[in-house]
Every structure is written in structure tokens, then in C-alpha cells.
Amino acid sequence: MGALQRPCLTANNMTSPSVSQKSLTLKQIFAPVADGISSIDEALRGIATLDYPIVRGSVEAIIAAGGKRLRPAILFLCARFYNYDLEKLVPMAAAIELLHTASLVHDDTIDNALVRRGLPTLNSILDEGTTVLVGDFLFAKSAVLSTMGGKMRATRIFAESLVTISEGEIEQKFSSHHMTATVDQYYKRIYSKTAVLFAGAGEIGAVVADAPEDAIQRLRFYSKQIGMAFQVVDDILDVQSTAERIGKPTGGDLRQGTVTLPTFFYLENATQAEQDDLIRVIEGVDRSDAAVNQVLARINASDAVTRAADVARSFVEEAKAAIADLPDVPARRSLLDLADFVIQREY
Ligand code: FPP
Ligand code: MG
């Protein structure tokens, strides 16, 4: 259960994250913790306490736009096996979701992204300095909430996750626009930017619910592997999907000079001329729409997406195996279904 285990690539018949099997909706999957999920929506709505209408309105909008609420749901589901005390769990889940939102506010400012979740980003409405301050405000609120679970260990997991996320973002800043990164560095990067917060959510849920230590470790590992799979799928959708479906422009990683798993796999069998074209995009020599679209088309015509989907599948299989021996409560079924959702999702 190491922090950065690389999955063994398993052959299977999966050709994309979207497979034919009909998947459950998130609402169905989250049913055992529906009370927790609706409570965090309420807790988050109370966050936009700023007096300035334009700032308050924007903050309310990004909170209301929500996302899939995967991290809070994982926190609640991991707690559901043991002492499911919403008074302690709701602030912790809100803290995790708010930290995630704050990091996206900062990330969109750094990336100059104009659209997220189908809505204009804060940095497209406010000036850069104000946007950073709003991100800081959301982060500060999340830090206060993180102390309310009644467990110092839970607050420490929250703080340590933030350290890892920030380190990862700094590292990504220094490694983008270069073709020198390796696949192992890619796994380390997606752990830092995504999986660590999923892992933290699962662990915090289990810790606050007084789970036995072995179960805490299993639930953390499950959550981490789900986070890894989630990010691999995100990176597949970035090369494969449509902007309307994922709520942000596609090809964003290439345009930002970030090399993701499908691109690594594509490169392995690309001709020298194809590699040169890709390097010109990554290094920013030619980042025209035509150049980006040509590389995207080539990646999609190769086996890179299938191979990346296999990797996502293997992370999910490891996640499921980790919770196989936990008590057979409805939350365990939900975690197994959530694992399937993560690799079948199209948005
Ligand atoms: C998205 O990456 C980025 C993150 C999930 C993490 C960003 C973290 C920070 C900016 C540090 C946060 C610090 C504080 C204090 C809150 P991406 O750009 O690859 O994904 P995207 O396509 O969704 O934008
Ligand atoms: Mg970004």
C-alpha cells in the first residue's frame, strides 16, 4: 500500500473510460450518505459571508456550481462503516470541498483558465490580485472547518494534504513546457494534485468515525487509488472529450505544456516527425489550434487512450481489492460502485 505504487498494466477489453455497462448515477451511489451530502451544501452556502456583492456573488456561484462532490462523499462513505457522527463529519467534508475549490480558484488564476464547470472562472471576472485573495479567503475558511472534527489527527491530515498539493503545483510549474518528465514523475504529480486529497478525505472520514487502524489504512488506500484513476480519466477526457461535456476547453494540458499519460503512451510509438510536432506544442514553439488539434487527432488515432484507460482500470481494481474484507454494509457497495463510476464517467 505504498504512496506511489505504479499499477501493473492489465490487458482487458476496455477501449475508453466510457464502457457499455450502464452505470449508476452519483445520487444513487451516494444514497447511504445523502444526509451528509445535503448538509455540506448548506454548510458551504454559509461560507460566502463577504460584504462586497461582486465577490460574494461570485463565491456563491462557484460554490453553487458545485462539482461532483466526490471528495465529501468519499469522506462520508468511509465514515459510514463506523461511528457516523454528522456533527463532526460535515465540517470536515465541507473543509475538504472548500480546500478543493480554493485550489481551483488559484489554479485557474495561474493557468489563465476562463471557464470551469461550464461557468466563467473568478479570474475572468475579477482582477488577478482580488482572485488570489478570494482563494485565500476560501482556504482560510476551510482551515477553520478542518479543526471541527474533534480529532487533531484529522486536522493534521488536512494540513499535510495541502502541503503536498502546493508542492505538487510548484513542481508542475517547473516541469511544464519540457519533454523531460517520466511516467513515474507523472504518477507522482497526479498523486500530489489529485489523489492526496481523495486519500485525505477517506482517511479523515475513517479517523473521525473511530475506525480501527487497519480499516483506516485500507480506506485511505482505496481513496488514493480512486483519486489516481480519477485523474488519469480526467487526462483522457482532456484529449478525447468535448468542451461542452467536461465544462472546460479540451486539449488544455497540451496547450499548457503538460505531458499526461495518453501523451506518454502516444510518444512511445510515434515517428520522429510526430514526436517533433508534439514537442513543438509542449515547448510552446507552435501552440496554434491547428497544431494542437493535429496532435490531439494523432493521440486519439493511436492506442494511447486504450492503454491509459487500462491503467485507470488497474487503479480501480486495486482500490476495490483493498476494501473487499471490510464489513459488508451498504457504504461498501457504494464505494465499489463509485470505483466503477470513476472509470465510466464522461464528464
Ligand atoms: C488542477 O490542475 C490543480 C489542482 C487540483 C491543484 C492546484 C493547487 C494549487 C494552486 C495550490 C493550492 C493552494 C491553496 C492555498 C489553496 P490542472 O490545471 O491540471 O487541472 P484543470 O484542467 O482542472 O485546471
Ligand atoms: Mg488548471
Side-chain angles (χ1 to χ4, degrees):
M1 296 197 184
L4 287 172
Q5 230 170 28
R6 191 177 167 180
C8 40
L9 304 185
T10 49
N12 62 54
N13 60 5
M14 195 173 165
T15 53
S16 87
S18 43
V19 293
S20 52
Q21 189 191 328
K22 180 110 180 74
S23 55
L24 296 169
T25 64
L26 283 179
K27 198 168 175 206
Q28 290 168 319
I29 296 171
F30 296 164
V33 294
D35 50 357
I37 301 281
S38 56
S39 303
I40 69 145
D41 281 349
E42 235 166 81
L44 290 175
R45 272 194 292 275
I47 293 300
T49 54
L50 290 159
D51 275 344
Y52 310 95
I54 178 152
V55 178
R56 193 172 60 232
S58 320
V59 169
E60 278 168 354
I62 47 168
I63 290 173
K68 295 178 254 314
R69 305 277 194 240
L70 290 181
R71 295 156 192 82
I74 286 178
L75 188 149
F76 288 127
L77 287 167
C78 290
R80 201 76 181 94
F81 290 79
Y82 303 98
N83 184 17
Y84 183 70
D85 178 351
L86 284 184
E87 213 171 302
K88 293 176 180 161
L89 292 166
V90 169
M92 297 309 295
I96 292 277
E97 187 66 2
L98 212 47
L99 171 58
H100 171 57
T101 306
S103 73
L104 294 181
V105 168
H106 281 182
D107 179 68
D108 287 336
T109 310
I110 294 164
D111 292 348
N112 277 319
L114 303 178
V115 180
R116 162 137 359 235
R117 295 168 178 167
L119 290 177
T121 53
L122 268 191
N123 50 289
S124 72
I125 300 168
L126 306 170
D127 66 76
E128 195 174 300
T130 312
T131 308
V132 169
L133 288 172
V134 173
D136 289 346
F137 171 81
L138 295 176
F139 166 61
K141 286 276 189 181
S142 78
V144 173
L145 287 166
S146 81
T147 65
M148 295 179 179
K151 287 259 162 57
M152 177 61 91
R153 177 173 171 184
T155 306
R156 191 166 59 237
I157 297 163
F158 175 91
E160 285 173 353
S161 305
L162 177 59
V163 172
T164 304
I165 294 169
S166 304
E167 275 173 354
E169 189 77 358
I170 292 168
E171 203 179 298
Q172 172 160 323
K173 200 73 195 149
F174 281 98
S175 67
S176 60
H177 311 301
H178 300 297
M179 283 303 313
T180 47
T182 63
V183 176
D184 282 337
Q185 284 166 328
Y186 166 81
Y187 288 128
K188 186 163 181 282
R189 174 155 48 83
I190 67 169
Y191 170 73
S192 299
K193 86 170 185 187
T194 304
V196 71
L197 199 56
F198 278 75
E203 186 178 0
I204 288 172
V207 164
V208 172
D210 297 318
E213 190 58 37
D214 176 65
I216 293 174
Q217 292 310 322
R218 286 178 177 281
L219 289 164
R220 178 179 172 93
F221 181 78
Y222 162 90
S223 308
K224 174 172 78 70
Q225 300 309 81
I226 293 298
M228 296 294 284
F230 179 86
Q231 189 56 51
V232 170
V233 172
D234 220 58
D235 294 341
I236 292 173
L237 292 174
D238 192 75
V239 297
Q240 196 195 37
S241 194
T242 59
E244 293 71 38
R245 193 183 277 166
I246 59 173
K248 56 185 179 183
T250 48
D253 292 327
L254 286 177
R255 280 177 232 275
Q256 281 162 30
T258 304
V259 183
T260 62
L261 197 58
T263 309
F264 275 115
F265 286 150
Y266 161 71
L267 266 177
E268 282 177 13
N269 295 315
T271 63
Q272 189 58 52
E274 288 167 342
Q275 290 182 29
D276 292 344
D277 287 344
L278 174 64
I279 289 167
R280 274 204 298 279
V281 170
I282 294 296
E283 294 186 347
V285 177
D286 181 0
R287 210 163 277 162
S288 62
D289 282 348
V292 171
N293 289 337
Q294 184 187 48
V295 171
L296 285 175
R298 286 175 180 169
I299 293 175
N300 280 295
S302 75
D303 66 352
V305 166
T306 309
R307 290 178 61 197
D310 283 346
V311 171
R313 165 76 62 104
S314 69
F315 278 123
V316 153
E317 291 310 322
E318 289 172 347
K320 286 178 166 179
I323 58 167
D325 294 332
L326 288 185
D328 188 12
V329 297
R332 194 170 70 97
R333 181 71 260 155
S334 288
L335 290 176
L336 296 172
D337 290 336
L338 180 60
D340 291 330
F341 174 88
V342 162
I343 45 172
Q344 289 167 1
R345 74 194 178 96
E346 295 183 343
Y347 63 97

